[in-house]
Amino acid sequence: MIRVMLVDDQALLRMGFSMVLAAQPDIEVVAEAGDGQEALDLLRSVEVDVVLMDVRMPRMDGVAATARITGPKVLILTTFDLDEYAYAAVRAGASGFLLKDVPPDDLVSAIRTVHAGDAVVAPSTLRRMLTEFAAHSPEPVKVTEELTAREHEVLLEVARGQSNQEIAAILHVAEATVKTHLGRILAKLGLRDRAQVVVYAYEHGLVTPRPKG
């Protein structure tokens, strides 16, 4: 079973998500919290695999809470896809983000995806967020010399929103090879998942948002 915690200051929203997840044979809602501090308190005594975390809450917001969570994977819930708080939460270690009006099937799929060790990143949405909130990025820098040429190629394709399967086709290698390269990239750069790979690439000037239109 995938053990889920719901963190949102709106009880009705938590109830709605809980009803959707209760219908899944492999997902169980084991805890609910109304803010980030309550979530951290509960995590001391409840085993959780995935946290659905709102960003704008009283007492402690989702960004601060996410930065202090080390075990469970965190999925950020946001009302607007251009949300500086959601962007900050991804930088703090969240495995991705969802809009609060996400279709039920997409919510369930996202939970299973992050539980399996991947990240939920909508490339177009993240690109817009980066355009809005990473304009202060430093000048392009040389990628760390620890990365091989092939790892650099994989990093760039991840940053462009390509899936492992798509990267394998682009680079003419096996999908398992892409996963191996991605694992080495995460280890060498000290990143948690592909969501942080995307942010890293944009903030270090390795790729830039495409112009509108």
Side-chain angles (χ1 to χ4, degrees):
M1 294 290 288
I2 303 174
R3 298 162 296 189
V4 174
M5 173 187 283
L6 304 177
V7 185
D8 196 292
D9 58 339
Q10 298 181 44
L12 286 177
L13 188 141
R14 296 200 309 269
M15 182 184 300
F17 281 155
S18 184
M19 291 175 62
V20 169
L21 299 180
Q24 307 305 315
D26 59 337
I27 297 176
E28 178 184 9
V29 176
V30 296
E32 296 186 20
D35 59 55
Q37 184 59 60
E38 185 180 0
L40 293 175
D41 292 342
L42 286 171
L43 284 172
R44 296 192 183 100
S45 58
V46 180
E47 293 291 330
V48 175
D49 300 308
V50 178
V51 178
L52 289 181
M53 178 81 74
D54 188 19
V55 284
R56 305 187 185 199
M57 296 178 291
R59 200 157 63 131
M60 180 184 289
D61 65 31
V63 177
T66 296
R68 294 173 60 181
I69 293 176
T70 57
K73 301 297 178 63
V74 178
L75 267 174
I76 292 299
L77 297 170
T78 178
T79 305
F80 307 103
D81 61 358
L82 288 179
D83 190 330
E84 69 272 24
Y85 292 96
Y87 171 62
V90 172
R91 294 186 67 194
S95 294
F97 55 88
L98 298 170
L99 295 179
K100 286 189 176 182
D101 60 356
V102 60
D105 288 347
D106 290 350
L107 171 66
V108 172
S109 176
I111 290 172
R112 290 172 178 153
T113 295
V114 298
H115 181 254
D118 210 335
V120 176
V121 178
S124 60
T125 301
L126 185 57
R127 188 174 296 116
R128 290 198 300 273
M129 290 173 64
L130 287 162
T131 301
E132 290 288 326
F133 304 115
H136 60 281
S137 298
E139 291 298 317
V141 297
K142 185 177 181 180
V143 69
T144 173
E145 294 181 357
E146 293 182 45
L147 295 187
T148 66
R150 180 62 83 182
E151 288 165 357
H152 190 189
E153 289 178 319
V154 171
L155 182 150
L156 294 180
E157 295 302 334
V158 169
R160 292 167 181 146
Q162 307 290 354
S163 67
N164 287 348
Q165 184 177 14
E166 290 168 335
I167 296 171
I170 292 169
L171 301 181
H172 306 290
V173 297
E175 187 173 350
T177 301
V178 175
K179 292 180 180 178
T180 298
H181 286 314
L182 180 56
R184 290 172 179 165
I185 291 167
L186 297 176
K188 289 179 178 181
L189 299 183
L191 305 175
R192 182 168 176 169
D193 54 34
R194 70 193 305 129
Q196 290 195 329
V197 170
V198 175
V199 172
Y200 176 94
Y202 275 87
E203 291 195 330
H204 286 75
L206 303 177
V207 292
T208 56
R210 295 175 181 175
K212 296 180 180 181

